[in-house]
């Protein structure tokens, strides 16, 4: 959802099967979890005046041989992303959900493994805060996809819930005031 007033952008992968069927992003348990991580309800989450939801792919990319979602189609990024973000200069903070969004929005800060990137959230936050202060784009917080598939990783990394999520909630609350 594009917006001329939203100060937060949620940038994930692409619609999954449930979202493809509903036509509304994050209308699944992952969306419930993401809203919980952010400390907001559906009324705020789906208010385009407050949040812009911009996936790396705008259509369901299909399933791979293991039943997981295929990667976002590359033509979306090539065709639309630069134009979308150049038309939303008011975005102050970007939530880069998953490896595809992280590689696009902060390529020089992305590690080879997702959780290695997320573990660097403090330095990524500081670096992107400095850039933002110079007018060089939004602050960025790297997040895993809020899917149940990341439960094992979240349990292995207690700092995620103890340190990253409070920063996320604080930033969301600050920008929604």
């Amino acid at each position: 959802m594009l917006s001329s007033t939203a100060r937060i952008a949620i940038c994930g992968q692409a619609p999954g099967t449930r979202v493809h069927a509903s036509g509304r992003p994050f209308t699944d348990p992952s969306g419930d979890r993401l809203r919980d991580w952010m400390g907001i309800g559906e009324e705020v989450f789906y208010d385009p005046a407050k949040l812009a939801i911009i996936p790396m792919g705008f259509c369901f990319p299909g399933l791979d041989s293991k039943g997981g979602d295929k990667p976002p189609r590359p033509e979306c990024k090539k065709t639309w992303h630069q134009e979308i973000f150049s038309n939303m200069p008011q975005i102050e903070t970007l939530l880069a959900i998953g490896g595809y969004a992280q590689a696009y929005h902060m390529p020089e800060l992305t590690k080879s493994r997702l959780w290695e990137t997320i573990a660097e959230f403090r330095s990524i936050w500081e670096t992107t805060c400095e850039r933002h202060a110079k007018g060089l784009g939004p602050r960025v917080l790297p997040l895993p996809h809020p899917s149940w598939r990341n439960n094992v990783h979240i349990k292995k990394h207690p700092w995620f819930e103890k340190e990253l999520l409070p920063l996320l909630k604080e930033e969301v609350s600050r920008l929604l005031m």
Side-chain angles (χ1 to χ4, degrees), residues 52-113:
I53 302 173
I54 306 134
M56 294 307 300
F58 299 113
C59 61
F60 176 57
L63 298 174
D64 64 21
S65 61
K66 295 179 183 175
D69 294 348
K70 288 182 178 178
R73 295 173 55 124
E75 60 268 26
C76 286
K77 172 176 62 175
K78 290 176 187 171
T79 306
W80 297 108
H81 279 76
Q82 186 171 347
E83 182 177 341
I84 287 169
F85 283 97
S86 67
N87 283 295
M88 292 195 319
Q90 82 284 355
I91 296 295
E92 294 183 40
T93 297
L94 187 146
L95 308 182
I97 300 173
Y100 295 107
Q102 291 164 15
Y104 179 79
H105 291 287
M106 47 180 222
E108 73 290 353
L109 301 173
T110 302
K111 308 291 183 193
S112 61
R113 299 180 62 102

Side-chain angles (χ1 to χ4, degrees), residues 1 14 16 34 45 48 53 58 65 71 81 94 145 158 161 166 168 171:
M1 293 181 247
L34 178 59
F45 189 83
I53 302 173
F58 299 113
S65 61
H81 279 76
L94 187 146
H145 191 279
E161 291 181 324
L168 171 62
E171 180 66 1

Side-chain angles (χ1 to χ4, degrees), residues 22-33:
S22 75
R24 193 172 188 198
F26 292 104
T27 53
D28 57 15
S30 295
D32 296 338
R33 188 178 214 182

